[in-house]
Amino acid sequence: MASDLPLLLAPQASDGGVVLVAVEVPPRFPPGSYRVCLGPVGGEALCREVTVEALAKLRAKVPGEAVGGSLRLALKNEGNLPLRVWLSPAEGSEVFFPPLALSLLPGEEGEAELSLSGFGLLRLRVASEAGEAFYLVRVRPEGGKPLPYTLSGLLEGGYALGTGTSLRLALEGALSREARLALALEGPHPSLRLGVGTGGFSSW
């Protein structure tokens, strides 16, 4: 923290007494202890140790909505330490992407583009040495169309002496964030069952 610039004092200060000097540390200055000296030209300098604290600070700019299969976000390291940043879907997320890691030097800005899978609410986790933060992003299909209905299926079959063959086909999925639909076809003599659930209520 050496400087060749002169420090000009008021005339009354040069006569003696206590002089308060403020040392301004640049925001990205590396942490550590530095020797700061002050003295008259050609005279004896008075030196003190100045400690610069470590500061880990990350700023993330995440949009509240994404359309299509990608999400772009901006990151900036606003501290004085290098940061390793991890991006991943958090627990409970309806949208997924391969976890991503990147490094940012103090003062450095960067962009990350996430390749998304699925539609609905993305619960995004951003973690670094500065801590972790969670962001909610609503992901819509291309063109902003309503979210498509999706059903997951299960097909089971078997054979047992005396009972013959058995078959079970089940389809289940969310019609919306509040309602679910289930279809089941089962038994040696297949019959159809329909179930609807919403909130704490379900019916078959």
Side-chain angles (χ1 to χ4, degrees), residues 55-59 75-88 99-108 112 125-133:
L55 175 63
K57 185 178 181 182
L58 177 70
R59 179 166 61 88
L75 302 165
K76 183 177 181 181
N77 183 349
E78 295 187 334
N80 59 4
L81 294 173
L83 294 179
R84 184 74 170 164
V85 184
W86 292 271
L87 307 172
S88 61
L100 178 68
L102 64 155
S103 298
L104 294 174
L105 295 174
E108 185 179 2
R125 176 180 179 263
V126 179
S128 69
E129 291 84 351
E132 65 177 9

Side-chain angles (χ1 to χ4, degrees), residues 149-154 168-184 192-199 201-204:
Y149 297 152
T150 57
L151 298 176
S152 58
L154 173 66
R168 182 176 187 271
L169 171 64
L171 295 173
E172 184 176 355
L175 293 179
S176 69
R177 293 187 57 79
E178 293 81 20
R180 296 183 63 82
L181 171 69
L183 300 172
L192 179 65
R193 299 171 63 202
L194 170 65
V196 177
T198 175
F201 172 79
S202 62
S203 176
W204 278 90

Side-chain angles (χ1 to χ4, degrees), residues 14-190:
S14 61
D15 296 337
V18 178
V19 177
L20 178 64
V21 177
V23 179
E24 184 176 355
V25 180
R28 313 294 177 251
F29 207 83
S33 294
Y34 299 89
R35 189 172 176 82
V36 178
C37 298
L38 177 66
V41 177
E44 184 178 356
L46 176 65
C47 298
R48 292 289 185 269
E49 292 289 328
V50 174
T51 300
V52 178
E53 301 290 342
L55 175 63
K57 185 178 181 182
L58 177 70
R59 179 166 61 88
K61 187 177 181 181
V62 181
E65 185 172 285
V67 176
S70 66
L71 172 67
R72 186 185 296 267
L73 59 142
L75 302 165
K76 183 177 181 181
N77 183 349
E78 295 187 334
N80 59 4
L81 294 173
L83 294 179
R84 184 74 170 164
V85 184
W86 292 271
L87 307 172
S88 61
E91 183 178 354
S93 180
E94 299 173 346
V95 180
F96 301 93
F97 62 89
L100 178 68
L102 64 155
S103 298
L104 294 174
L105 295 174
E108 185 179 2
E109 298 184 43
E111 279 193 346
E113 185 165 359
L114 308 179
S115 181
L116 306 178
S117 173
F119 303 104
L121 281 180
L122 166 65
R123 192 162 187 258
L124 173 65
R125 176 180 179 263
V126 179
S128 69
E129 291 84 351
E132 65 177 9
F134 296 89
Y135 301 86
L136 283 179
V137 182
R138 182 171 294 279
V139 181
R140 300 184 182 276
E142 197 69 44
K145 299 177 182 177
L147 300 182
Y149 297 152
T150 57
L151 298 176
S152 58
L154 173 66
L155 176 63
E156 297 177 334
Y159 176 81
L161 289 175
T163 61
T165 59
S166 64
L167 175 69
R168 182 176 187 271
L169 171 64
L171 295 173
E172 184 176 355
L175 293 179
S176 69
R177 293 187 57 79
E178 293 81 20
R180 296 183 63 82
L181 171 69
L183 300 172
L185 187 67
E186 58 184 273
H189 304 290

